[in-house]
Amino acid sequence: MTNHSETTAQVTLRSPAELADALPYLLGYRPEDSMVLVALHDSDGKGRFGGRARLGIPAHEEDWEEAARQLARGLVTSSERRGAKPEQLVAYVCQEPAPGERGRDVKRRLARLAHLLRIQCGDLDVPVIEALCISDGRYWSYCCPAEDCCPEDGTPMGLPGTSVLAAAATYAGIQVRGTLKELRARLQPWEAAAAREQEVALDTGGLALVPRILDEAGRAEVAEETIVLAERVIHRLAAATPVAGALPADLRDDGLIGHDEAARLILGLQDRNTRDRAAAWMEGDEAAPALRLWRALARRCVGPYAEHAAPPLTLAGWVAWSMGDELEAREALAMALGADPDYLFARLLHQACNEGLDVESIRRCLRAGRPGGAPGTEASTDASGPTDPTGRAESTASPAPAGEPDPAARIRRRRRLRSALAAAGDGPLAARVPGQRRRPASPGQAAGRAPRASTRHPAGTRMPAKGTEETTT
């Protein structure tokens, strides 16, 4: 099987070991707790890598068959939509041992999942020519019965970066990120002592901003103040001294944003018009510091304000996609939907990114709605939001969609909830200001909000809806 590149010589992979080593370079990161399918297309008698699809391994075995069916259908369907059905597939199941387990125990436990993947792909007339388990720095082949080449304890993986494919990828400028867990950590809420200070700032900011947002004139003033403050913070971040490493960079950014500033920005971005104007920081010199700001704000949506992370997470996903980083875009948008499953902007962008829409078409819509692309300029009433795959535009002049209430409606709803809690004698809980939200027992309840744990990638905890498969070409 051969992986072709426009800028480098072709690299031929001849063994399961080389296929196992290739997985991080095919995805752009090291998968954990994942099942992956990679498409192969025939080219002059040699296999050529095509699309890739990944889902988290469901925690309950009864969900494995449906997950395998969705993964197989998602990859084959997306490949057909791009004009070429795969001739063959390579399957991977990746999971680290639980406490008390060894890698070979993981291999035995996931054997049924690998078998289900092969069955589902076979039902679509696309055979799986190799199925690999990767765990604890070793790999096993489910397709090789020979004990001498596939020992019970597995075969050690090579040192990262030492294979021929690694050298070719480095030459081509392809970088392998860490794990998805490390990527999500940059977007997840604080859990340190500073989280309490941020929550107090959000409570205090809500008391000051909510009455103004409920007033029509005050709402416009809050929107303008939010954009001006965001622009000031973006310029502050852009002027900061660069540091090496994701964690030190995030800590530096957190130190450059005050609790009160973060609270005002988080609350102000709950307004859809304000969020759309902020989305115009998507290219040029402002894109990178804007992405840093949206990441930082997502980390500040602490405690009962977890739902408020949907706007900054969506903006982070949008800017990352606009800058060409589809991996972070998909993860940020998935986390936005975990925070608020009904957030329309995140749903449309997530679908568009997964379906391979041209990001420039969405940028054109944002530019058309803002003369000169300046976020401080009021959006026009035509197509100021992103278009969904059907061509509809989310206009900033139209009422908020049913699934994405405007801030005033959301605040009125929370006030009714507080009144009900007060009547029930809930005391301090009833006194919660805009951060108060109901806590459903599961993400799918009618309240439409996910608990804090749902900020993980949806596929890792429950069965994803069709169309949410991560696919790349």
Side-chain angles (χ1 to χ4, degrees):
M1 285 140 298
T2 304
N3 187 26
H4 294 281
S5 170
E6 295 179 359
T7 58
T8 63
Q10 65 183 29
V11 176
T12 301
L13 307 181
R14 298 183 175 87
S15 67
E18 292 175 329
L19 282 174
D21 179 75
L23 183 58
Y25 299 95
L26 295 173
L27 296 178
Y29 60 93
R30 302 187 184 280
E32 291 182 325
D33 197 28
S34 301
M35 48 182 175
V36 180
L37 288 176
V38 178
L40 294 174
H41 301 276
D42 185 79
S43 177
D44 298 327
K46 297 181 180 180
R48 174 179 55 83
F49 287 124
R52 282 81 79 188
R54 186 206 69 89
L55 281 181
I57 298 176
H60 303 291
E61 286 195 33
E62 56 266 28
D63 295 330
W64 284 4
E65 184 173 2
E66 178 60 25
R69 180 180 297 112
Q70 288 194 31
L71 185 64
R73 289 182 178 177
L75 178 57
V76 173
T77 300
S78 64
S79 298
E80 289 177 332
R81 189 165 54 241
R82 293 182 173 94
K85 181 178 179 179
E87 279 87 16
Q88 298 169 326
L89 293 167
V90 177
Y92 299 83
V93 288
C94 311
Q95 193 173 73
E96 289 305 297
E101 272 191 328
R102 298 174 63 183
R104 64 183 183 183
D105 301 320
V106 176
K107 180 254 184 178
R108 293 193 196 101
R109 178 162 48 80
L110 297 182
R112 177 172 171 266
L113 177 58
H115 182 63
L116 288 170
L117 285 170
R118 297 175 71 181
I119 290 175
Q120 295 301 326
C121 294
D123 288 344
L124 298 172
D125 295 325
V126 185
V128 173
I129 63 167
E130 182 62 272
L132 298 173
C133 175
I134 299 177
S135 179
D136 198 23
R138 295 173 174 266
Y139 74 88
W140 292 259
S141 171
Y142 291 110
C143 298
C144 178
E147 181 72 20
D148 54 344
C149 73
C150 293
E152 178 67 18
D153 287 331
T155 304
M157 301 275 291
L159 292 175
T162 59
S163 66
V164 175
L165 180 59
T170 302
Y171 179 77
I174 299 173
Q175 295 183 350
V176 175
R177 312 276 280 273
T179 64
L180 292 182
K181 184 185 300 184
E182 294 169 345
L183 192 153
R184 294 183 199 123
R186 307 190 71 183
L187 302 168
Q188 287 175 334
W190 285 349
E191 294 183 355
R196 177 56 186 163
E197 299 176 14
Q198 184 61 64
E199 184 176 339
V200 171
L202 284 162
D203 287 345
T204 305
L207 287 173
L209 292 179
V210 166
R212 298 176 61 197
I213 293 175
L214 291 174
D215 177 73
E216 192 65 32
R219 182 177 175 182
E221 293 174 356
V222 171
E224 194 62 36
E225 292 168 5
T226 302
I227 292 297
V228 170
L229 176 58
E231 188 170 19
R232 185 162 66 245
V233 175
I234 285 174
H235 290 163
R236 186 188 309 161
L237 294 175
T241 303
V243 296
L247 179 59
D250 291 343
L251 291 174
R252 174 208 54 198
D253 292 345
D254 290 339
L256 293 173
I257 305 172
H259 294 313
D260 293 339
E261 290 178 319
R264 288 158 56 195
L265 289 171
I266 290 168
L267 294 169
L269 287 172
Q270 303 307 307
D271 175 55
R272 185 164 63 92
N273 292 358
T274 308
R275 176 210 66 200
D276 286 354
R277 293 170 63 187
W281 284 304
M282 58 187 174
E283 52 193 342
D285 295 337
E286 292 174 325
L291 176 57
R292 289 159 54 192
L293 173 59
W294 309 141
R295 288 186 191 132
L297 294 182
R299 295 192 292 269
R300 304 288 188 107
C301 294
V302 297
Y305 291 88
E307 182 190 73
H308 286 63
L313 283 170
T314 302
L315 289 170
W318 159 239
V319 177
W321 185 25
S322 188
M323 295 174 65
D325 189 346
E326 293 188 8
L327 173 59
E328 180 170 358
R330 279 191 296 267
E331 289 305 308
L333 294 170
M335 290 176 66
L337 292 173
D340 186 351
D342 295 322
Y343 202 64
L344 181 61
F345 192 27
R347 269 210 319 267
L348 295 179
L349 288 176
H350 194 242
Q351 181 179 358
C353 184
N354 279 336
E355 293 189 356
L357 265 66
D358 181 10
V359 69
E360 180 58 26
S361 63
I362 303 177
R363 281 199 293 254
R364 282 198 299 269
C365 292
L366 287 168
R367 295 190 197 106
R370 293 161 181 79
T377 307
E378 273 298 338
S380 66
T381 58
D382 58 339
S384 59
T387 56
D388 69 13
T390 62
R392 295 188 300 271
E394 185 184 3
S395 170
T396 58
S398 61
E404 189 178 329
D406 60 56
R410 180 176 293 183
I411 292 163
R412 287 193 293 269
R413 183 179 62 200
R414 287 174 177 151
R415 283 184 170 177
R416 289 195 296 270
L417 175 61
R418 290 202 303 275
S419 298
L421 289 171
D426 262 329
L429 185 61
R432 172 71 64 189
V433 290
Q436 176 62 45
R437 65 190 185 102
R438 289 169 285 185
R439 294 182 180 272
S442 65
Q445 290 186 342
R449 299 178 181 86
R452 185 173 181 179
S454 290
T455 55
R456 294 179 56 198
H457 194 290
T461 54
R462 58 183 182 272
M463 292 306 302
K466 288 186 178 180
T468 62
E469 293 87 351
E470 173 190 319
T471 56
T472 56
T473 301

